[in-house]
Amino acid sequence: MMNISDQSQVEIFKNYVNNSQNIVIVPHNNPDGDALGASLGLLNTLKNMGKSVTVISPNEFPDFLNWMHGVNDVLIFDKQLLKANQLIEGSDLIVFLDFNALSRIKLMQPLFEKDTTPRVMIDHHPFPEEDTAQVQISVPEASSTCELLYHVLSLSGFKQSITKEAAECIYAGIMTDTGALNYNSSRPQTYHIVAELLEMGIDKENIHQNLFHNNSFDRMRLLGHALGVKMQRLPEQKAAYIDLSKEELHQFNFKPGDTEGFVNQALWIEGVQMSAFFTEKNNLVKISFRSRNGFPANAFSEKYFGGGGHFNAAGGESKLSLTETVERFKVVLKEFCDENGF
């Protein structure tokens, strides 16, 4: 069984759901497969229980997730402000999925700083902020929020309401957050849940086709450019990195989600224990870190780039230029490795 430190939080979640009719689900900004999979997995389950449910995403999500059941009914907050506000004001319950700080929902943050609707947070990122929700179910050991959600639904007595469509969304979230079980997936409980989802009749082959084998021509060309032209090694620090400018992204007709997984590529290189991926946005540089062999990606990101996350998967950002950010990264990585014996 998964270690949920305070089982009373699950009981409160159960009571909230049973006593609510209009429920709003919110994933983090720039939702990935785990965030959207959990949101739609919960949406389909609650709808099967007769609830009125809406997923409101802070902004758009990648096209490769468009196959999930219920995706066409997701409201995009930054495009449907009025309707989204009305639904939130009329809701009995808000469920936050795959984030543990209000800053992670960007434009929606001020709204929930004022809203008094009961809120539940279900998430697997470490160090949740106390004011995120009244009920906080946080298990950093979980491979994904989707794995944790499945466990919470089971403990709440809602497992029988998980439809095949909901199960496919939950499975998709587990696969995307573990790289198809390549990392962050050493706990037997993860595989027990995967087995139960398969028993529900999900189409595993079709899900993998949609998630991992459905790339656009432009995305593959961008990946080739990233690996063949932009990837650099730092042998002394056992690291490698890729940086992509706005011009390069435009050159390859970039769409949200096109760089998903790029940061993992360098970890396939023998001897590399840490990889970094930099993308230039309008006013900042977004950074992703991945690691193995005991290198704490979250501690490194938190110390130097205002970020955080999991031990082996973290993110951060920089307000310096792309070139300045990369140069700072090389300096502070050497400093961090020297200080910590890596």
Side-chain angles (χ1 to χ4, degrees), residues 141 143 147 174 177-188 190-191:
E141 312 92 72
S143 71
E147 178 187 342
I174 296 173
D177 241 32
T178 63
L181 301 177
N182 276 311
Y183 49 84
N184 195 29
S185 54
S186 298
R187 298 168 62 260
T190 305
Y191 296 85

Side-chain angles (χ1 to χ4, degrees), residues 72-299:
N72 293 330
D73 295 324
V74 175
L75 255 66
I76 306 302
F77 183 79
D78 63 5
K79 292 187 174 180
Q80 297 167 286
L81 289 169
L82 181 59
K83 187 174 182 181
N85 275 282
Q86 289 172 341
L87 284 165
I88 291 168
E89 289 174 4
S91 65
D92 309 311
L93 176 65
I94 307 290
V95 183
F96 290 160
L97 292 174
D98 203 34
F99 68 95
N100 60 15
L102 290 178
S103 60
R104 294 286 281 116
I105 52 175
K106 301 294 183 182
L107 289 175
M108 297 182 74
Q109 179 177 355
L111 181 63
F112 288 109
E113 288 175 338
K114 300 175 183 177
D115 187 76
T116 58
T117 306
R119 299 201 296 260
V120 175
M121 179 204 85
I122 301 174
D123 179 63
H124 72 133
H125 296 91
F127 314 118
E129 292 187 358
E130 291 184 3
D131 61 349
T132 304
Q134 294 94 331
V135 176
Q136 301 199 149
I137 303 172
S138 174
V139 182
E141 312 92 72
S143 71
S144 54
T145 293
C146 277
E147 178 187 342
L148 177 56
L149 173 67
Y150 183 88
H151 190 60
V152 169
L153 291 173
S154 298
L155 287 177
S156 301
F158 301 149
K159 183 177 174 180
Q160 71 279 4
S161 297
I162 300 176
T163 64
K164 175 188 172 184
E165 292 80 10
E168 289 186 332
C169 296
I170 292 169
Y171 178 84
I174 296 173
M175 289 302 110
T176 54
D177 241 32
T178 63
L181 301 177
N182 276 311
Y183 49 84
N184 195 29
S185 54
S186 298
R187 298 168 62 260
Q189 293 94 326
T190 305
Y191 296 85
H192 294 159
I193 288 175
V194 166
E196 291 188 22
L197 295 170
L198 289 168
E199 289 172 349
M200 292 181 180
I202 66 172
D203 189 338
K204 170 185 172 291
E205 284 70 25
N206 186 57
I207 295 171
H208 282 253
Q209 174 68 32
N210 284 318
L211 292 177
F212 304 116
H213 311 295
N214 196 24
N215 298 298
S216 69
F217 183 65
D218 285 328
R219 182 183 187 274
M220 295 305 292
R221 291 178 64 241
L222 178 59
L223 176 60
H225 175 74
L227 296 178
V229 178
K230 301 307 301 284
M231 187 164 63
Q232 302 292 324
R233 289 182 68 189
L234 301 171
E236 290 187 9
Q237 286 74 50
K238 300 178 183 177
Y241 68 89
I242 297 168
D243 63 280
L244 294 174
S245 68
K246 288 188 294 184
E247 290 75 19
E248 287 170 308
L249 294 173
H250 179 73
Q251 177 186 347
F252 293 94
N253 302 310
F254 172 78
K255 292 182 179 179
D258 277 356
T259 56
E260 185 79 20
F262 280 22
V263 66
N264 299 317
Q265 298 288 326
L267 287 182
W268 296 5
I269 301 171
E270 183 181 2
V272 170
Q273 67 177 5
M274 189 268 197
S275 69
F277 179 62
F278 305 86
T279 48
E280 185 181 30
K281 304 295 183 181
N282 288 331
N283 300 311
L284 52 80
V285 176
K286 297 290 290 183
I287 316 169
S288 296
F289 300 107
R290 296 292 185 271
S291 68
R292 60 183 179 182
N293 298 338
F295 187 97
N298 54 354

